[in-house]
Amino acid sequence: MMKQQEAMALSRERTFVGLDVGGTKTALMVEKGGKILREATFPSTPHIGELKRAIESHVKSCGLKMEDVGALAMGIPGRVDPDTGLVIDAPALGWKDFSLQQKLFSSLPMPCVAENDITMSLIAETTLGKARGQSDVVFLAIGTGVGSAILANGSILSGAAHSAGEIGYCIFDSDITPHFQNKDGCFGPLESKISGKALEREAGKLGTTPQELFRAYPSGDPARDEVIDRFLTRLAVTIANMTSILNPHLVVLGGGVSESLGGVLETIRERVAACTPLPVRVEISSFYNRAGAIGACQRARLLWEKEQTGGRMTAAV
């Protein structure tokens, strides 16, 4: 078996494929030695045959054969067991108790692994982005929904049912009604407050978009500013609560909504500091919507290095 330093050096000569499989579109990246050979987006499909053909086509477009790929990793929008390749539940794809290992990975000539898509974004940040070298990090993704991935003491937290970080299900006291029930697979209470979908709903009532509300904030228009104020406070409370529980060095904000947060980042930091006595750094993702595919390539690289060193991961993720 190779030593860790030798495996890490040789991995720079290998080609890796990463996929970020979303509910509507899939981002694919082919990478070698830190250079992106191919970056593409195509419609997502729950049909494995179509997905396999898309992977083969994009690898071929790089002048490569599938056998030239060192490893492949896929980010999935749902609960995944990376050790078995079982997708426990990915509602956007219609996959439930769906074995990627049996359906896809076993037919490919390289080592493969699947992880939750937000975990892939976290890996992008810890290996190449703003969280590099940190052992305790939360990646908070705010897109259509809300979710997170957690790095604690250098290890990714998975949870008893591979559901750690499913913060969309967090509740406020105002959510409790006589018939309230927090159901698995449904849009969660926190998602209904700070997700992109929630922002679009509130902005739509005012005849505008969330992007415009963020650009104009503070606009002097009480109704418009209230939408952003309420969002910022709820986001700050969420970050503060996660900080109080997990004590991370850093919280990274990602997902589609993060692209609009540059102008309000200092406000978020101030409100977080007022909500928790524990120090925490809050940053916006280095990679925005590319984080999942970039992280998947890095996860593939780590998988290849692990295989070469007899099962020892060569870098903390």
Side-chain angles (χ1 to χ4, degrees):
M1 293 294 177
M2 293 184 190
K3 294 181 179 179
Q4 290 190 4
Q5 289 185 336
E6 183 183 2
M8 292 173 71
L10 287 176
S11 71
R12 299 189 187 102
E13 303 172 11
R14 303 294 299 180
T15 300
F16 301 107
V17 174
L19 291 98
D20 181 15
V21 183
T24 58
K25 62 182 179 179
T26 294
L28 177 144
M29 189 173 289
V30 182
E31 182 264 353
K32 181 178 181 180
K35 180 181 178 181
I36 297 173
L37 305 180
R38 177 77 170 170
E39 190 169 5
T41 302
F42 52 90
S44 291
T45 174
H47 304 295
I48 291 299
E50 293 178 7
L51 183 58
K52 183 179 179 182
R53 285 191 292 274
I55 294 168
E56 291 170 340
S57 174
H58 288 292
V59 169
K60 185 178 179 180
S61 72
C62 298
L64 300 168
K65 299 177 181 178
M66 292 291 281
E67 290 77 12
D68 296 326
V69 177
L72 176 147
M74 293 176 60
I76 304 296
R79 289 182 289 157
V80 183
D81 183 345
D83 294 327
T84 65
L86 180 69
V87 178
I88 300 166
D89 191 23
L93 296 169
W95 291 350
K96 190 173 181 65
D97 295 327
F98 185 86
S99 176
L100 276 173
Q101 177 58 41
Q102 294 177 3
K103 303 285 187 179
L104 177 62
F105 295 165
S106 61
S107 67
L108 298 177
M110 75 289 287
C112 300
V113 66
E115 296 266 13
N116 172 267
D117 55 349
I118 305 175
T119 297
M120 293 300 193
S121 296
L122 172 64
I123 291 171
E125 291 294 339
T126 57
T127 54
L128 298 174
K130 292 176 180 175
R132 192 170 185 176
Q134 300 291 341
S135 62
D136 294 82
V137 180
V138 170
F139 190 100
L140 177 55
I142 310 170
T144 302
V146 177
S148 71
I150 302 161
L151 184 75
N153 296 328
S155 298
I156 291 173
L157 292 186
S158 179
H162 302 282
S163 298
E166 291 285 351
I167 62 167
Y169 294 120
C170 290
I171 61 174
F172 289 72
D173 58 354
S174 59
D175 294 312
I176 305 300
T177 62
H179 302 290
F180 172 77
Q181 189 171 1
N182 209 348
K183 294 184 178 180
D184 185 24
C186 296
F187 213 61
L190 183 60
E191 287 177 308
S192 70
K193 294 177 174 64
I194 66 170
S195 66
K197 189 173 181 179
L199 281 168
E200 287 174 1
R201 182 184 65 245
E202 294 302 312
K205 294 176 183 177
L206 300 172
T208 187
T209 66
Q211 293 83 356
E212 180 55 35
L213 291 180
F214 279 114
R215 277 194 295 268
Y217 179 83
S219 66
D221 183 321
R224 292 185 170 222
D225 289 345
E226 184 184 3
V227 171
I228 300 303
D229 267 325
R230 190 164 53 240
F231 167 84
L232 295 176
T233 296
R234 287 168 170 171
L235 176 58
V237 168
T238 300
I239 295 170
N241 285 340
M242 296 190 79
T243 297
S244 296
I245 294 168
L246 297 166
N247 189 205
H249 299 108
L250 171 66
V251 174
V252 180
L253 304 177
V257 173
S258 70
E259 298 183 30
S260 298
L261 299 183
V264 295
L265 182 58
E266 283 305 318
T267 302
I268 294 169
R269 289 168 173 164
E270 291 170 2
R271 295 190 187 186
V272 170
C275 290
T276 177
L278 302 182
V280 64
R281 187 159 56 98
V282 181
E283 300 285 356
I284 297 172
S285 172
S286 308
F287 308 112
Y288 295 114
N289 63 352
R290 300 172 70 234
I294 291 171
C297 279
Q298 293 303 305
R299 182 66 178 87
R301 176 182 61 80
L302 293 167
L303 173 62
W304 185 85
E305 292 174 358
K306 179 180 178 181
E307 297 245 330
Q308 306 311 305
T309 55
R312 298 187 302 276
M313 197 69 80
T314 58
V317 293

